[in-house]
Amino acid sequence: MTSRPLITPFVLVSLFMLAGCASAPRSKSTAAAPKPLAEAAPAQYTSPCPKPPTNAEERFECDRRSILAMAGEFRVRFIFDETAALAPGYTPHPAQRSGATELVEVVEDTGRKIVLQHILVMKMGEDVHVIKHWRQDWHYEPADLLRYRGRSRFEHEAVDANAARGAWAQVVYEVDDAPRYSGIGHWTHSDGVDAWMSDLSLRPLPRREHSKRRDYQAIEAYNRHTLTPGGWVHEQDNTKLVIDVDGKRHAIARERGINSYTRITDFDFNPGREYWEKTKAYWASVRDAWARGAAAKASFELEPDPDDEPRINELFGQAERARKGETVPVAEIEDVLIHYGLPLTPPEGGSVY
């Protein structure tokens, strides 16, 4: 069995489709009963927060353990169903079902900030393909959030101190570490369940529909993350929106999304860990460049990616050079990001990773 940590853009897009990032509907059998949306739970389970917290310090520690419990090795199911047609004449699109095998690594934990990196490790025949996937950063009591405003524009938003108290923000990033969306909410630990619920947040057209649909531009959603005995589940209450050039919005459909992460022990994720070990310094430099650029202005617009996703391909190409042992200058990373709209200033000294 061979490992191919980076592949051609054509195969990259194909793997994203298999993984649910651009999933296609699966044919249904009229004879088979529908599969339950929920995954079966194992009989043995120890919650990261077995007793409800009674004070702020205990809640903080319970929250942290719950976030860290989302790391590990998983089989993932992606489920998306349009549940309501909201615009006159709209015809709901077919349900989407797909899956993947995914590694979630803790790449940073400073106490009040936890960074989880998702890495797809997918077996195709006798080959194993590895792709850096999405990333989620968790910030405790944030003072500022980078919010998506639609039509490729991001804007910093101050967080009220009362709203931030005891809350965690989840900030989600694209496969190339571009910002995607953010939400803030509180973890709850009651009735034996550890869960977090976001506020209402906007995000760009999802990758699973990026190459297939142009009839809407954004999704407004509530996101809920819940730990389960078998892993965790990400539930989405989505509204698909058309956003006009003048900012006027029109809802076209309501959608339910359920991404379930079930722990597994019968799959070899070592190729994913090997890829990450060889490229993590490069990707840390990419994260730093994105962060510096995002902090440079109160708002900015990223150049929309065409279907062949050149920005992603350029950065993944640099990552492949890093995987092979080459040093990629920070200036080369910045050149790509500046080209696609990031308001970036070079670091002092022109350092490399």
Side-chain angles (χ1 to χ4, degrees), residues 22 31 47 54 57 59 86 114 120 145 208 221-222 267 284 348-349:
S47 166
T54 59
E57 183 178 356
R59 280 193 294 274
L86 302 178
I114 299 172
L120 292 171
L145 282 178
R208 58 190 161 85
Y222 291 103
F267 189 88
E348 294 183 6

Side-chain angles (χ1 to χ4, degrees), residues 51-70:
K51 295 181 179 180
T54 59
N55 56 53
E57 183 178 356
E58 289 181 356
R59 280 193 294 274
F60 175 71
E61 291 304 324
C62 279
D63 295 350
R64 278 182 38 79
R65 290 197 297 270
S66 297
I67 295 169
L68 292 170
M70 290 192 287

Side-chain angles (χ1 to χ4, degrees), residues 298-315:
S299 67
F300 59 91
E301 290 185 12
L302 292 180
E303 187 73 21
D305 279 339
D307 288 344
D308 58 352
E309 301 176 330
R311 187 194 68 218
I312 291 174
N313 287 337
E314 287 189 51
L315 292 175

Side-chain angles (χ1 to χ4, degrees), residues 12 23 53 63 91 149 168 180 277 341:
L12 178 62
S23 58
D63 295 350
T91 300
R149 297 305 192 195
W168 287 83
R180 183 161 180 78
E277 185 62 30

Side-chain angles (χ1 to χ4, degrees), residues 43-118:
Q44 301 299 319
Y45 173 63
T46 301
S47 166
C49 189
K51 295 181 179 180
T54 59
N55 56 53
E57 183 178 356
E58 289 181 356
R59 280 193 294 274
F60 175 71
E61 291 304 324
C62 279
D63 295 350
R64 278 182 38 79
R65 290 197 297 270
S66 297
I67 295 169
L68 292 170
M70 290 192 287
E73 302 176 349
F74 302 95
R75 173 176 53 81
V76 191
R77 287 173 62 197
F78 302 97
I79 296 172
F80 293 94
D81 292 292
E82 292 192 346
T83 58
L86 302 178
Y90 182 83
T91 300
H93 285 236
Q96 299 181 39
R97 300 288 186 274
S98 58
T101 39
E102 187 152 302
L103 175 68
V104 183
E105 291 278 85
V106 179
V107 300
E108 184 179 341
D109 179 7
T110 61
R112 296 170 67 94
K113 178 183 178 182
I114 299 172
V115 177
L116 302 178
Q117 177 63 60
H118 292 237

Side-chain angles (χ1 to χ4, degrees), residues 60-350:
F60 175 71
E61 291 304 324
C62 279
D63 295 350
R64 278 182 38 79
R65 290 197 297 270
S66 297
I67 295 169
L68 292 170
M70 290 192 287
E73 302 176 349
F74 302 95
R75 173 176 53 81
V76 191
R77 287 173 62 197
F78 302 97
I79 296 172
F80 293 94
D81 292 292
E82 292 192 346
T83 58
L86 302 178
Y90 182 83
T91 300
H93 285 236
Q96 299 181 39
R97 300 288 186 274
S98 58
T101 39
E102 187 152 302
L103 175 68
V104 183
E105 291 278 85
V106 179
V107 300
E108 184 179 341
D109 179 7
T110 61
R112 296 170 67 94
K113 178 183 178 182
I114 299 172
V115 177
L116 302 178
Q117 177 63 60
H118 292 237
I119 302 170
L120 292 171
V121 185
M122 299 182 65
K123 185 175 180 181
M124 300 179 67
E126 293 302 314
D127 294 334
V128 172
H129 298 278
V130 176
I131 302 175
K132 177 183 175 294
H133 206 193
W134 65 292
R135 176 180 123 235
Q136 49 174 319
D137 291 7
W138 291 84
H139 301 267
Y140 185 65
E141 296 185 339
D144 174 273
L145 282 178
L146 184 64
R147 296 282 202 178
Y148 183 66
R149 297 305 192 195
R151 304 191 74 88
S152 303
R153 187 168 69 90
F154 291 85
E155 181 179 274
H156 286 275
E157 176 182 282
V159 180
D160 180 80
N162 290 327
R165 188 171 296 114
W168 287 83
Q170 184 205 39
V171 187
V172 171
Y173 298 86
E174 301 276 10
V175 298
D176 66 344
D177 291 315
R180 183 161 180 78
Y181 67 89
S182 60
I184 188 169
H186 289 81
W187 280 88
T188 57
H189 311 278
S190 59
D191 302 323
V193 177
D194 306 291
W196 174 88
M197 185 77 178
S198 78
D199 61 352
L200 191 61
S201 62
L202 196 68
R203 64 177 185 259
L205 185 73
R207 186 165 303 281
R208 58 190 161 85
E209 297 193 319
H210 187 274
S211 62
K212 298 185 297 182
R213 296 185 61 171
R214 289 293 182 268
D215 59 329
Y216 75 102
Q217 288 77 44
I219 281 181
E220 193 169 53
Y222 291 103
N223 293 280
R224 181 169 62 194
H225 291 257
T226 305
L227 302 187
T228 67
W232 56 283
V233 62
H234 173 200
E235 297 169 274
Q236 306 170 42
D237 181 0
N238 298 333
T239 300
K240 297 182 177 181
L241 298 174
V242 175
I243 301 180
D244 297 336
V245 175
D246 62 2
K248 189 175 181 180
R249 307 183 346 167
H250 315 270
I252 63 170
R254 189 68 47 76
E255 179 185 68
R256 172 180 56 182
I258 303 173
N259 298 341
S260 57
Y261 291 73
T262 302
R263 295 187 186 278
I264 57 176
T265 59
D266 59 352
F267 189 88
D268 182 10
F269 284 93
N270 284 328
R273 291 190 173 89
E274 292 170 5
Y275 171 80
W276 187 248
E277 185 62 30
K278 291 178 180 179
T279 63
K280 65 181 180 181
Y282 166 78
W283 287 114
S285 188
V286 173
R287 292 197 303 273
D288 175 72
W290 276 116
R292 285 187 286 110
K297 289 187 176 181
S299 67
F300 59 91
E301 290 185 12
L302 292 180
E303 187 73 21
D305 279 339
D307 288 344
D308 58 352
E309 301 176 330
R311 187 194 68 218
I312 291 174
N313 287 337
E314 287 189 51
L315 292 175
F316 271 60
Q318 291 180 355
E320 176 65 357
R321 289 162 52 196
R323 186 189 70 84
K324 294 177 178 178
E326 184 179 340
T327 296
V328 180
V330 166
E332 290 191 26
I333 298 171
E334 293 174 339
D335 283 346
V336 174
L337 302 186
I338 291 170
H339 178 75
Y340 292 103
L342 190 68
L344 189 66
T345 55
E348 294 183 6

